[in-house]
Amino acid sequence: MISSLSLDQLRVLVTIADTGSFSAAGRQLRRAQSAISQSVATLEAAQGVQLFDRSTHRPRLTETGRVLVDQARLVLSSAARFEAVATGARGGVEPELALAIDPLVPTAPLIESLRALHHFYPHLPISFSTEGLGGALRRLRSGDVALAFCLLLPVVPEDVVASPLLRVALTPVVSAEHPLAALGRPATRDDLERHIQLVLSDPVDREANNYGLASATRWRFVDLGRRLDFLLAGFGWCRMPEHLIADHLAAGDLVRLELAEDARDPADALTIYAARMADHEPGPAGRWLLNDLQGDVTLSAA
């Protein structure tokens, strides 16, 4: 019965399985062999199962015993995480670190900092939210997340504290089969207006972040991956982050689209920010992540 189950009994069971005998488990746990035997007998009686075959000189796990040892490991591991989170909470560490990431933000530059964060806070649960353009800022303002990695256009809002992390260059591209790919010269605005522009759009505020619009016909997408599918299928043209299209450019599926307006006024790269609400300081883990990211001078979108 579960009410008669104790973590100590499970620890004894796992230690016997790991060391190979009751006596070895006793030595590791610094208990008499008789105490180890009694713990196993009590566990067997309470659960109504036989964990060890005692017909041989050295007791061996039964088939049921082997299965329950695996379950015992899971319970002990879960209990250790429970205790670690509670210990962290007593020390002021947030019980969970929630992050929101805009779709244009490359994941690669964040990986090493998150790996280091996991090293320092191995039991800290981390949740990620990736929505349409503008979704990360909305999550931050609603209090659902502690930090947002996002675009902040046209300026950083007054209620947000933000630090620039990296710049993401957007490259105009088109399918190799698209008519614009065979133009043979820089595309003018008149050229672009006749073709569909695949636009990454804020699903809530359709008028927000309407930068770089040139075509008369626009197909709007919330999902960056879905937009890439339509781009590869030749439905239109758009500007894409270099890190998402490098392989397709190398394979010849996509081609760079030279724009006449870029020759006159080169498009600036977009700035990705690490943002938090001005009136809400992140917990220790969130602050650690921010400091690590801001101290990484090698951070880039490559």
Side-chain angles (χ1 to χ4, degrees):
M1 296 176 62
I2 195 68
S3 59
S4 302
L5 191 64
S6 74
L7 293 179
D8 184 69
Q9 291 171 334
L10 299 184
R11 191 173 294 109
V12 168
L13 176 61
V14 168
T15 304
I16 295 171
D18 289 342
T19 59
S21 70
F22 284 33
S23 57
R27 287 192 296 272
Q28 181 165 316
L29 296 175
R30 297 184 179 182
R31 301 182 192 178
Q33 181 174 339
S34 59
I36 297 295
S37 299
Q38 182 59 49
S39 178
V40 172
T42 301
L43 180 59
E44 288 178 322
Q47 301 304 315
V49 296
Q50 185 177 356
L51 299 172
F52 290 90
D53 179 359
R54 296 171 175 80
S55 63
T56 59
H57 174 68
R58 175 176 292 182
R60 295 182 179 179
L61 283 166
T62 62
E63 183 176 352
T64 298
R66 285 192 293 272
V67 172
L68 290 180
V69 164
D70 290 339
Q71 295 301 312
R73 293 187 195 279
L74 293 175
V75 172
L76 290 172
S77 177
S78 181
R81 288 195 298 272
F82 178 94
E83 187 173 43
V85 171
T87 300
R90 289 196 299 272
V93 177
E94 51 268 67
E96 179 182 40
L97 181 59
L99 309 174
I101 305 176
D102 266 354
L104 285 174
V105 178
T107 303
L110 306 178
I111 292 296
E112 289 309 312
S113 287
L114 288 168
R115 193 192 311 278
L117 176 70
H118 178 65
H119 175 77
F120 281 97
Y121 299 94
H123 299 289
L124 175 69
I126 301 178
S127 62
F128 298 88
S129 170
T130 302
E131 300 181 12
L133 202 62
L137 181 57
R138 279 191 293 275
R139 286 272 189 171
L140 186 66
R141 282 175 164 159
S142 69
D144 293 336
V145 301
L147 299 174
F149 302 101
C150 56
L151 304 174
L152 295 173
L153 297 170
V155 296
V156 176
E158 292 184 359
D159 60 339
V160 170
V161 174
S163 301
L165 288 183
L166 60 117
R167 303 271 284 171
V168 175
L170 298 183
T171 301
V173 286
V174 71
S175 166
E177 306 300 322
H178 193 278
L180 285 173
L183 198 57
R185 56 175 174 77
T188 65
R189 182 168 290 271
D190 288 341
D191 295 322
L192 298 177
E193 283 183 349
R194 293 193 289 268
H195 297 281
I196 296 170
Q197 184 175 2
L198 307 177
V199 179
L200 192 65
S201 179
D202 187 322
V204 175
D205 186 356
R206 289 171 57 89
E207 299 305 317
N209 303 330
N210 277 338
Y211 50 88
L213 299 182
S215 296
T217 303
R218 302 156 191 167
W219 288 14
R220 296 181 178 270
F221 295 81
V222 173
D223 185 285
L224 193 60
R226 194 77 62 195
R227 184 173 71 154
L228 177 59
D229 291 340
F230 278 75
L231 177 65
L232 290 167
F235 278 89
W237 72 277
C238 66
R239 296 179 185 268
M240 286 288 288
E242 187 77 22
H243 67 280
L244 290 180
I245 58 172
D247 291 344
H248 295 293
L249 288 172
D253 302 325
L254 297 177
V255 297
R256 297 179 190 274
L257 187 60
E258 189 177 353
L259 303 184
E261 65 181 34
D262 285 356
R264 297 190 302 271
D265 183 20
D268 290 335
L270 297 176
T271 300
I272 303 300
Y273 291 89
R276 66 171 179 85
M277 295 306 297
D279 61 354
H280 184 74
E281 180 80 12
R287 294 196 300 273
W288 190 99
L289 180 60
L290 278 179
N291 291 336
D292 191 74
L293 287 168
Q294 293 164 2
D296 187 354
V297 296
T298 64
L299 198 63
S300 70

